[in-house]
Amino acid sequence: MEGKEKEKKKSLKNVNDSPKISASSAIMAMGFDFNEMNKTKKTLIGLGLGQILSLLCTSNAFTSSELARKGINAPTSQTFLSYTLLAVVYGGIMLYRRPTIKGKWYHYFLLALVDVEGNFLVVKANQYTSITSIMLLDCWAIPCVLVLTWMFLKTKYRLMKISGVFICIAGVVMVLFSDVHAGSRAGGSNPVKGDFLVLAGATLYAVSNTTEEFLVKNADTVELMTFMGLFGAIISAIQVAIFEQGELKAIHWSADAVFPFLRFAITMFLFYSLLPILLRTNGSTMFTLSLLTSDMWAVLIRIFAYHEKVDWLYYLAFATTAIGLIIYSMKEKDEEEEREEQRKKLLDEEEGQSLPDTSL
């Protein structure tokens, strides 16, 4: 009897000493990996949000074009309303919360300055060069963002992401060839000056996107939007007073003139409000690549809203850019994940070796 009881206790002890399987491990063993599901969800949200921002950017371009057709050339005045709206809405939230300010005021001032001047230069370039040259803006901003995020944010880019970038650029190059093939390249009054303005604006956009990504990840979003709106409104007001007083006085103010300004302000407010979410989850490179499709959305609007005919290369370019975005957004295993997997394998091997010892 005593021998049987000892054997029973020993078997119970072996059962208790055996490795316990947690509920999460059991679920993972059945084929569910919540980490992978979260990564997939994050990728899909990034792709969808990037296209919403791209559509908002396209809407802004059409609004600016509408104002230009009416003879209203006041780009800084348009952005002034957007920055003011940001300052009022997010400033009100900030005053209600009364949080401790995390960032430095001069960081926000420099970000607003770069953003305002980037918008100004790109719109100004339309007076001197062709739409085909303006589209090169997207391509130039991408390598600038890659270099800046690699240098200052220590972002590492592997082969898959770099290949996604090149595929996206190939899509935009197709659009350029399509414009040339369709004969839409009008030289402009001063193409060289216009091209330099585009390159300068693209560089400022890259600096703005990278700086905003850093501030989004290290400060509060409401704080960022408040100070960017405040400083952006102040800088825009000074610029309007210097350069656009005559333009504003010459405008015949009516509902047709006011509504495009209001539409632009609301669209830009939504754009700036959604942008920090994408920057926090997917980074400034993903955002810059997403904006490449704004040219494609503009083509679709021209087809279905204005019933214009476009070259077949546009469709191929849209598909190519979309494929590049998907490839870029695909998750690669970074060095930390690889080290974690190696550590888990070593632990599993040690547990496997210790099991025979406990059963003896």
Side-chain angles (χ1 to χ4, degrees), residues 194-212:
D195 289 347
F196 274 111
L197 288 174
V198 172
L199 293 175
T203 306
L204 291 179
Y205 276 151
V207 173
S208 174
N209 296 341
T210 307
T211 306
E212 194 166 345

Side-chain angles (χ1 to χ4, degrees), residues 71-89:
I72 301 172
N73 296 309
T76 311
S77 301
Q78 295 172 223
T79 56
F80 168 74
L81 292 175
S82 307
Y83 290 123
T84 304
L85 195 57
L86 283 173
V88 170
V89 173

Side-chain angles (χ1 to χ4, degrees), residues 102-175:
K102 297 178 181 178
K104 304 291 185 183
W105 69 268
Y106 50 85
H107 289 162
Y108 295 123
F109 175 80
L110 291 173
L111 172 63
L113 177 64
V114 168
D115 198 68
V116 170
E117 298 311 322
N119 288 326
F120 175 79
L121 288 172
V122 172
V123 176
K124 193 74 174 174
N126 284 278
Q127 299 177 16
Y128 301 104
T129 190
S130 65
I131 187 65
T132 308
S133 296
I134 298 295
M135 290 169 68
L136 287 170
L137 162 71
D138 298 327
C139 295
W140 177 246
I142 292 169
C144 290
V145 169
L146 288 174
V147 172
L148 288 170
T149 52
W150 175 71
M151 288 177 62
F152 297 105
L153 302 184
K154 308 302 180 185
T155 305
K156 294 181 180 179
Y157 296 100
R158 296 198 172 187
L159 182 60
M160 183 178 289
K161 292 193 179 295
I162 294 172
S163 62
V165 169
F166 278 106
I167 291 172
C168 285
I169 293 174
V172 177
V173 170
M174 289 180 190
V175 175

Side-chain angles (χ1 to χ4, degrees), residues 274-328:
L274 294 173
L275 177 57
I277 302 172
L278 182 63
L279 292 177
R280 187 184 295 110
T281 56
N282 298 85
S284 54
T285 307
M286 180 66 175
F287 164 65
T288 308
L289 290 172
S290 295
L291 289 188
L292 289 177
T293 58
S294 61
D295 301 318
M296 321 302 178
W297 290 121
V299 170
L300 293 178
I301 292 172
R302 282 162 53 191
I303 293 170
F304 294 105
Y306 298 98
H307 306 290
E308 294 181 10
K309 291 183 178 180
V310 297
D311 198 73
W312 62 272
L313 273 173
Y314 271 111
Y315 301 103
L316 183 60
F318 190 91
T320 304
T321 306
I323 291 169
L325 278 171
I326 293 169
I327 291 173
Y328 177 86

Side-chain angles (χ1 to χ4, degrees), residues 42 54 72 81 90 96 100 119 121 142 147 164 190 217 223 229 240 247-248 262 288 317 335 338 342 356:
K42 178 180 169 183
S54 182
I72 301 172
L81 292 175
Y90 286 100
Y96 176 77
T100 304
N119 288 326
L121 288 172
I142 292 169
V147 172
N190 194 337
K217 292 178 178 178
E223 178 183 307
V240 167
E247 289 286 345
L248 293 176
L262 294 176
T288 308
E335 292 177 0
E338 288 175 357
Q342 290 176 0

